[in-house]
Amino acid sequence: MLAISFTFFVLFFCLVMGIKWFILLSLMMMFYPFFHFLNFNLSLFSKNLYISLDFFSFLMIILTFWIVFLSILSSMNILMSSFSKLFLILFYFLFFFLYMFFSVSNFFFFFFFFEATLIPTLFIIVGWGNKVERIKSGYYLFFYTLFGSMPMLMSIFFLKEMNFSLIFFFFNLKSTYYLMYMFLVISLLIKMPMFLVHSWLPKAHVEAPLSGSMILAGVLLKMGGYGLFRLMNLFKKFSNLNSIWIYISLWGGILSSFICLRQVDLKSIIAFSSVSHMSLVIVGILIFCYSSLIGSLMLMVSHGLCSSGLFFLANILYERSGSRSIFLNKGLMSMFPSLSIWWFIFCAFNMACPPSLNLISEIFLMNGLISWSFLFVFFLMFISFLGGVYNLFLFSFCNHGSMYSSIFFFNSCYLIEYFILYMHFFPIFFFFMKLFFFF
């Protein structure tokens, strides 16, 4: 906790004093390896009125730290521009809001930081987005979040009147208060996003800059899952209503996998694959089985790193061809064979092949889901099969075939691009080798 707090103050000092961004990132990198030597279990590490740091929130803070670092490092063009200071300040505030969101134990502060992350994200998408459509995607992101957040705010006031406290550990809700349950859970499911309220995600991803896509896929999608975990004691009493979201998510996971096969934009394919993966996380948390909870946590970490790496790979192609169409970005294996290996690794990890944390997480999730209802085995079979299909579709379209003539292949890959890809790959592989970290 002290190490993370110290890192936070170092970041603030660097930004205020105007220290160069590469020195700032070097300082961040110095502290990150020490976090891996810490270990928690699912019990609370700190029980007081403000901070609650357990294993779930600790891993989310580590993931936030890592993805923010890689997002800044991958935005070299923006960092060289005249607006680099504003860009770094927005990322600093986003990092601060996320860090506080994953560590507070007061429900009102939880809600405040939950909504505060919207402002820097909106500025990053609208300010550095690719096309004119970025304004429309910003509206989608803003109004979807606002639609879910206002009922949640009312339910917070209601819980305060009932329990005389806003601390998570003292919450209690009668099983007859269905409206309060709906208000709380819908806001979190929109942020996941659950299928049927997911349309803001592909639009935000496609129009966002690379750093915006990486932080959105890597961390911001995990906020809904963390909220479901934090309010688990309230949701346990509504098992009949929980099954509604479970069935919608399973069906939505299959449909979003089919939608991936109909996309022609690289970012759209990766964004819809995120919807498919997050549907498994929703189901795993709402079943409240220990193995499915561990599986959901693993999948949130592995998907955050893997999806962020895929967005970075898609951007590498976009910078060289000027298009994200899968029909134009072909023949990569004949031009950049070393980059093609990274495409293979991340597509394989995304479809849950060994040795990746995705594989172990899906095994844990399937164990929990099938123990809840054996009929889920058919849905999971489809989701796993289609996950392999759309990842093979993505890999084969980009890496095989004849080369598109207007790709500037003399602009070979830079060392920093391989470094960022390795930094996405290493934690997924590291956690696979250190599985006892999750128990």
Side-chain angles (χ1 to χ4, degrees):
M1 194 70 186
L2 288 172
I4 299 172
S5 303
F6 180 70
T7 309
F8 168 71
F9 285 118
V10 166
L11 281 171
F12 182 73
F13 178 77
C14 289
L15 282 172
V16 170
M17 299 302 293
I19 297 174
K20 294 290 186 182
W21 60 267
F22 55 84
I23 300 175
L24 177 122
L25 294 180
S26 302
L27 287 168
M28 290 171 73
M29 282 298 295
M30 283 172 60
F31 292 104
Y32 175 77
F34 295 105
F35 295 151
H36 280 298
F37 293 104
L38 302 175
N39 206 342
F40 299 107
N41 55 21
L42 285 172
S43 63
L44 286 169
F45 174 67
S46 175
K47 298 179 183 177
N48 57 42
L49 296 177
Y50 306 106
I51 300 297
S52 62
L53 188 67
D54 62 359
F55 182 60
F56 211 101
S57 57
F58 171 72
L59 267 182
M60 290 297 105
I61 289 171
I62 294 296
L63 183 66
T64 303
F65 188 82
W66 199 232
I67 296 294
V68 166
F69 156 68
L70 292 174
S71 300
I72 296 172
L73 195 60
S74 62
S75 305
M76 297 293 293
N77 295 332
I78 300 172
L79 291 169
M80 298 300 179
S81 69
S82 57
F83 293 100
S84 60
K85 185 68 73 69
L86 176 61
F87 182 77
L88 281 173
I89 288 171
L90 285 171
F91 259 92
Y92 164 74
F93 277 110
L94 190 56
F95 173 68
F96 171 68
F97 292 149
L98 286 166
Y99 168 65
M100 293 304 296
F101 171 80
F102 289 125
S103 58
V104 294
S105 60
N106 185 294
F107 197 11
F108 184 79
F109 285 120
F110 174 92
F111 171 79
F112 175 80
F113 292 115
F114 182 75
E115 298 304 323
T117 55
L118 175 67
I119 306 302
T121 311
L122 198 61
F123 272 97
I124 289 167
I125 291 174
V126 174
W128 288 275
N130 294 317
K131 301 173 187 173
V132 183
E133 289 288 317
R134 66 182 185 268
I135 307 294
K136 186 179 177 182
S137 66
Y139 279 140
Y140 265 78
L141 172 64
F142 185 79
F143 283 108
Y144 262 98
T145 308
L146 202 65
F147 172 77
S149 64
M150 289 307 293
M152 190 182 190
L153 183 61
M154 301 305 296
S155 60
I156 289 173
F157 295 146
F158 181 79
L159 282 169
K160 175 69 169 67
E161 288 299 315
M162 279 189 60
N163 300 296
F164 305 103
S165 173
L166 283 174
I167 309 301
F168 286 122
F169 324 118
F170 303 145
F171 275 172
N172 192 17
L173 192 63
K174 293 179 182 177
S175 57
T176 53
Y177 292 151
Y178 296 116
L179 193 60
M180 288 299 106
Y181 166 80
M182 296 294 284
F183 283 172
L184 286 170
V185 78
I186 285 175
S187 175
L188 298 169
L189 292 176
I190 287 173
K191 204 75 172 179
M192 285 294 286
M194 185 184 71
F195 194 77
L196 300 181
V197 287
H198 70 286
S199 57
W200 64 268
L201 181 70
K203 290 182 181 296
H205 270 311
V206 168
E207 303 305 328
L210 170 63
S211 52
S213 291
M214 287 171 68
I215 197 76
L216 197 60
V219 186
L220 294 179
L221 295 190
K222 314 301 176 283
M223 294 170 69
Y226 177 76
L228 290 175
F229 173 76
R230 270 283 167 259
L231 299 173
M232 189 168 57
N233 290 329
L234 294 184
F235 298 152
K236 275 181 180 177
K237 299 178 180 180
F238 301 90
S239 55
N240 293 332
L241 291 175
N242 285 337
S243 59
I244 297 172
W245 315 120
I246 290 170
Y247 295 135
I248 291 174
S249 295
L250 278 176
W251 184 239
I254 294 171
L255 287 182
S256 55
S257 299
F258 275 117
I259 292 170
C260 283
L261 298 173
R262 296 292 299 158
Q263 300 300 310
V264 295
D265 189 298
L266 285 170
K267 273 194 170 183
S268 289
I269 297 172
I270 304 165
F272 276 105
S273 75
S274 296
V275 178
S276 178
H277 282 105
M278 287 299 107
S279 66
L280 287 175
V281 172
I282 293 169
V283 176
I285 293 176
L286 289 180
I287 281 175
F288 308 121
C289 166
Y290 182 75
S291 69
S292 66
L293 275 174
I294 294 292
S296 294
L297 174 60
M298 288 180 181
L299 189 56
M300 285 163 72
V301 174
S302 58
H303 171 265
L305 293 160
C306 189
S307 184
S308 176
L310 282 169
F311 277 115
F312 185 75
L313 280 167
N315 188 73
I316 290 175
L317 287 190
Y318 176 65
E319 286 180 348
R320 283 152 181 78
S321 66
S323 170
R324 290 194 303 266
S325 173
I326 59 171
F327 301 119
L328 299 181
N329 293 291
K330 297 173 75 68
L332 186 66
M333 200 172 282
S334 59
M335 291 182 292
F336 309 120
S338 51
L339 190 65
S340 190
I341 293 170
W342 285 111
W343 269 106
F344 175 77
I345 289 171
F346 280 102
C347 286
F349 278 15
N350 204 37
M351 72 168 83
C353 286
S356 72
L357 190 62
N358 304 59
L359 172 72
I360 308 297
S361 64
E362 291 201 8
I363 290 171
F364 272 74
L365 276 168
M366 288 177 183
N367 181 31
L369 302 189
I370 294 169
S371 66
W372 196 74
S373 172
F374 187 74
L375 293 175
F376 281 176
V377 72
F378 302 107
F379 291 98
L380 294 170
M381 181 177 66
F382 270 109
I383 290 175
S384 296
F385 172 72
L386 291 170
V389 169
Y390 65 70
N391 280 293
L392 281 173
F393 164 76
L394 176 62
F395 173 76
S396 58
F397 253 86
C398 291
N399 292 276
H400 296 281
S402 56
M403 185 182 69
Y404 176 48
S405 58
S406 71
I407 290 183
F408 187 57
F409 59 88
F410 296 108
N411 184 6
S412 61
C413 295
Y414 301 111
L415 184 63
I416 193 168
E417 292 174 337
Y418 289 129
F419 172 74
I420 292 169
L421 289 169
Y422 174 75
M423 285 296 165
H424 280 104
F425 158 80
F426 168 72
I428 309 175
F429 182 71
F430 172 82
F431 282 129
F432 178 82
M433 302 301 290
K434 193 178 185 294
L435 281 178
F436 61 87
F437 189 79
F438 292 91
F439 299 100

